[in-house]
Amino acid sequence: MGNGLDQGYGVLKCKLSNEDTIYKLGVKNNHVQVLVEVEGDINKKYRVAINIRSSAKAEHLPEDTANQVLYYVGEDFKAEETARWLTLESGFTKITGHNRSLALDYIRGNLVIPSKMVALPNTNRNEPENSDPRNNLYDKITSYLKEAQEQDATLYVFGEPWGPEEDKPDKYFGFSPGQGVHNIHMNQGNAGGYASENGTWQDGGVLIHFENEHRWVAIFLAFQSQSWCTNDQGDATKPVSECNHTNVLS
């Protein structure tokens, strides 16, 4: 039975750093590591770890695609769908049952369209930096990050926090104390070793608010090993081979 994320769940309201390097490819090419700051406090930095490859294989899929991450970008939002986050203060807000309206749930909420999610390879490092960003997840995500930095957009990062780790600088960007947000993906329907983290209304994701354009972009991620049929504890009621993002509503 799922117990939820070990360190809790919440949303980090932040801006991308103004430093030259705002993202790096993580160890094993499993994450994009992103440097962000809390607005008004340039010394309060966080690292955001966004999955671009799954460590858990989807056993029902071919070997060459079993670790690929499902990806969906939503840009068509009504004002009432996003108003709930606008009044948040900068920094990390813990989300519990008392303020659950702030949470994301890919299955029970109304922001994600499961059937529009597609699986993408994590990277194609043989391509030039300015290549077509549509064929791998690293380029997809970093293209939005570049745009967000250029326009000074606000990020709302949903997931599990870690830190602050006193006297332990961040291993990618060197700031201290190290702290950040991870598990920025669907956090229910897991099997095996990750099943203990299952829960409802605790899914991760990144929402980018381009204030100058009155535009929102949401990046939603899920693993192909996760079932889309879950109970009130977030545990799978059917294996993913029977209930995936393409047939969850069938």
Side-chain angles (χ1 to χ4, degrees):
M1 298 288 288
N3 298 313
L5 299 171
D6 291 340
Q7 301 302 315
Y9 170 72
V11 54
L12 176 66
K13 183 177 181 178
C14 57
K15 299 271 190 176
L16 287 163
S17 172
N18 289 321
E19 295 186 14
D20 291 338
T21 301
I22 59 168
Y23 56 82
K24 297 181 178 181
L25 187 60
V27 176
K28 298 181 180 179
N29 297 357
N30 281 357
H31 297 83
V32 179
Q33 308 288 353
V34 186
L35 179 62
V36 300
E37 299 174 353
V38 171
E39 192 172 21
D41 186 353
I42 60 173
N43 295 317
K44 192 146 190 185
K45 297 181 178 180
Y46 290 80
R47 173 163 54 90
V48 171
I50 304 175
N51 285 79
I52 57 173
R53 184 178 183 275
S54 173
S55 59
K57 291 183 178 180
E59 300 297 339
H60 64 293
L61 295 177
E63 181 75 18
D64 60 339
T65 60
N67 292 100
Q68 290 184 4
V69 173
L70 294 168
Y71 168 91
Y72 168 64
V73 169
E75 298 196 32
D76 185 19
F77 295 105
K78 300 179 179 68
E80 59 267 25
E81 293 174 333
T82 55
R84 72 192 91 165
W85 300 300
L86 289 174
T87 58
L88 287 175
E89 294 184 359
S90 294
F92 188 81
T93 298
K94 186 175 182 180
I95 299 176
T96 65
H98 298 293
N99 58 352
R100 199 181 74 174
S101 63
L102 298 173
L104 297 180
D105 191 302
Y106 286 15
I107 296 171
R108 295 158 186 81
N110 62 353
L111 295 182
V112 180
I113 303 175
S115 61
K116 290 191 175 183
M117 299 192 94
V118 296
L120 289 177
N122 55 339
T123 65
N124 185 344
R125 305 304 290 161
N126 296 321
E127 291 187 343
E129 182 73 15
N130 62 352
S131 63
D132 186 339
R134 293 177 294 181
N135 61 3
N136 70 83
L137 205 44
Y138 177 84
D139 286 346
K140 277 274 194 182
I141 290 173
T142 56
S143 66
Y144 279 106
L145 294 176
K146 291 174 187 175
E147 183 183 5
Q149 187 189 44
E150 290 169 357
Q151 298 196 36
D152 195 33
T154 299
L155 273 64
Y156 296 81
V157 181
F158 295 80
E160 180 182 17
W162 82 80
E165 300 171 323
E166 300 297 337
D167 302 320
K168 185 178 180 182
D170 182 77
K171 66 179 181 179
Y172 285 96
F173 297 105
F175 64 87
S176 186
Q179 59 187 344
V181 180
H182 66 147
N183 280 334
I184 304 170
H185 48 71
M186 190 165 87
N187 290 304
Q188 57 186 305
N190 293 295
Y194 293 102
S196 63
E197 296 182 344
N198 285 337
T200 58
W201 298 104
Q202 61 160 26
D203 288 334
V206 179
L207 274 67
I208 307 173
H209 186 201
F210 295 92
E211 290 97 337
N212 294 337
E213 300 179 353
H214 305 290
R215 168 179 165 236
W216 288 79
V217 173
I219 299 173
F220 299 121
L221 305 162
F223 300 140
Q224 294 188 92
S225 58
Q226 293 173 310
S227 173
W228 286 75
C229 289
T230 63
N231 59 21
D232 290 342
Q233 288 72 48
D235 293 313
T237 57
K238 295 181 180 179
V240 64
S241 58
E242 297 178 14
C243 185
N244 58 45
H245 66 292
T246 66
N247 61 16
V248 61
L249 299 178
S250 62

